[in-house]
Amino acid sequence: MRWGLVGASTIAAQHMIGAIRATGGEVAAVVSTTRARADEFAASHGIAAAADRLTLVLDDASIGAVYISSTNEKHHAQALAAIAAGKHVLCEKPLAMTVAEAAGMVQAAEAAGVVLATNHHLRCSGAHRAVRDLIRAGRIGRVLSLRLFHAVQLPPHLQGWRINDASAGGGVIPDITVHDADVARFLLDEDPVAVVAQMGASGMGQGVEDSVMSVWTMPSGALVQSHESFTHPFAGSGLEVHGDRGSIFARGVMTQAPVGEVELVTATGRAAVPFPAHNLYVQGVGDFLAAVAGSGRPAATGADGVASLAVALAVRKAAQTGTRQQIDYGSAA
Ligand code: NDP
């Protein structure tokens, strides 16, 4: 597969170029809003073509897939343009700024007969898949609650638009809550119904929240408690799933690397749960390619990206208004 990158981003540089190449793909071109940055990015990553216009990728019939990792407000228009050009699209989260926009992307991809996937990497984690397998196998009985703790320290090199530009989609809710929404849906196989939330801004940035805590109700009656932050250097990340016959403790697993530990606790005792330590992003690109080939599905579909955005936006609205929010998934989720 020949790929075009849209966005000269950190995530592309640190994870996705390697993942594309590890799955046998070629990174053929990169598009940035700035020509100089596109050229510099192409030179440092061995990419043959670079430009500040999308047509570089869209008009090249040999490019079959586009990976979009620009700032969040650009995803929608760039994805629609790529879909209209007949490209398969792997888009970063959040898919868009609104649920309606994201749903429109799913509808456009369906109409064009191309794959649209959301880069929710945590679904690709061996640890997360092991936790889901335990739940599905009934090892903890009926699930009563899920606790997601994903409060981290945003590294200095990422303290730009994420913490000071609401119009670019900044804030911890579109950045991390959206991932946690996908984790909850992935692990529990159901969609949150309603949320309550509180958020805060510690002064790290301007005009957007940097911390949020929320509680979600699930159709089964299970409760989800979720905490995301950019300002917690030593909190550690993880999740706990509690059932009426057991609990699962997964520590250090809300990460980009295949690390952490998973433990199952039941009446018979405590047991470490092994899981494969494959690269999350390579798995995600591999699943995407299988979907393009018609032999699989993306780890997270476009519809999954609509749903995670719907939950995240409901969390923000709940925090802004101080009211319980029913989640509006739009028509595509
Ligand atoms: P970056 O800030 O590194 O890049 C985002 C955009 O900012 C780039 O596309 C580029 O715009 C612009 N940019 C990059 N460097 C500079 C610079 N030095 N000066 C001015 N502008 C610059 O963001 P991330 O890589 O952290 O995030 C990109 C997307 O990926 C977001 O949607 C984010 O939510 C998502 N993401 C997903 C992760 C995952 O694990 N799934 C992890 C991290 C991020 P241009 O388009 O013009 O090139």
Side-chain angles (χ1 to χ4, degrees):
M1 176 68 83
R2 277 167 59 81
W3 289 76
L5 305 186
V6 176
S9 68
T10 306
I11 178 79
Q14 292 185 342
H15 295 283
M16 294 303 290
I17 291 172
I20 288 168
R21 290 175 174 158
T23 52
E26 179 185 348
V27 181
V30 58
V31 174
S32 169
T33 52
T34 309
R35 182 63 202 257
R37 194 165 58 246
D39 287 342
E40 188 190 357
F41 193 91
S44 36
H45 298 286
I47 301 168
D52 56 1
R53 55 191 165 75
L54 216 44
T55 49
L56 173 75
V57 165
L58 304 189
D59 293 348
D60 184 340
S62 73
I63 291 179
V66 170
Y67 168 60
I68 298 173
S69 64
S70 50
T71 47
N72 300 340
E73 88 288 7
K74 297 195 180 84
H75 296 174
H76 175 243
Q78 291 169 338
L80 288 184
I83 290 165
K87 312 296 185 192
H88 302 286
V89 175
L90 175 56
C91 187
E92 270 307 339
K93 41 52 65 170
L95 276 190
M97 299 288 275
T98 69
V99 174
E101 282 179 354
M105 292 157 67
V106 171
Q107 283 152 6
E110 279 171 5
V114 298
V115 172
L116 170 66
T118 312
N119 205 26
H120 277 310
H121 65 295
L122 292 171
R123 278 177 182 248
C124 301
S125 146
H128 286 247
R129 291 183 177 188
V131 171
R132 187 176 68 156
D133 289 347
L134 291 170
I135 296 169
R136 285 187 167 180
R139 299 293 296 279
I140 62 169
R142 183 166 66 91
V143 174
L144 305 171
S145 62
L146 166 64
R147 192 163 86 86
L148 300 162
F149 42 107
H150 202 161
V152 296
Q153 179 72 20
L154 189 67
H157 69 277
L158 294 182
Q159 291 182 19
W161 60 270
R162 265 189 184 75
I163 55 162
N164 59 28
D165 192 349
S167 66
V172 77
I173 292 173
D175 199 54
I176 308 185
T177 307
V178 77
H179 273 313
D180 290 346
D182 188 63
V183 168
R185 295 183 62 252
F186 176 70
L187 295 181
L188 303 186
D189 269 329
E190 55 180 350
D191 295 332
V193 175
V195 302
V196 294
Q198 299 277 355
M199 64 184 179
S202 69
M204 176 187 248
Q206 268 190 330
V208 295
E209 77 288 340
D210 59 33
S211 293
V212 60
M213 290 187 177
S214 55
V215 176
W216 317 343
T217 51
M218 305 300 274
S220 64
L223 290 172
V224 177
Q225 181 193 53
S226 188
H227 178 203
E228 294 83 27
S229 179
F230 286 150
T231 64
H232 286 49
F234 305 111
S237 77
L239 61 90
E240 298 172 1
V241 201
H242 302 289
D244 58 4
R245 290 197 289 114
S247 287
I248 301 164
F249 297 86
R251 301 181 190 89
V253 298
M254 310 301 265
T255 55
Q256 296 181 302
V259 295
E261 56 196 52
V262 178
E263 185 181 38
L264 174 65
V265 183
T266 64
T268 57
R270 313 181 81 92
V273 178
F275 58 85
H278 55 251
N279 180 297
L280 283 64
Y281 296 96
V282 172
Q283 181 72 44
V285 173
D287 289 355
F288 176 82
L289 292 173
V292 169
S295 58
R297 72 184 292 283
T301 62
D304 289 321
V306 177
S308 62
L309 177 62
V311 176
L313 293 180
V315 165
R316 188 181 259 167
K317 193 161 180 199
Q320 281 168 339
T321 61
T323 58
R324 182 176 192 266
Q325 291 294 313
Q326 293 291 127
I327 299 168
D328 175 7
Y329 287 99
S331 55

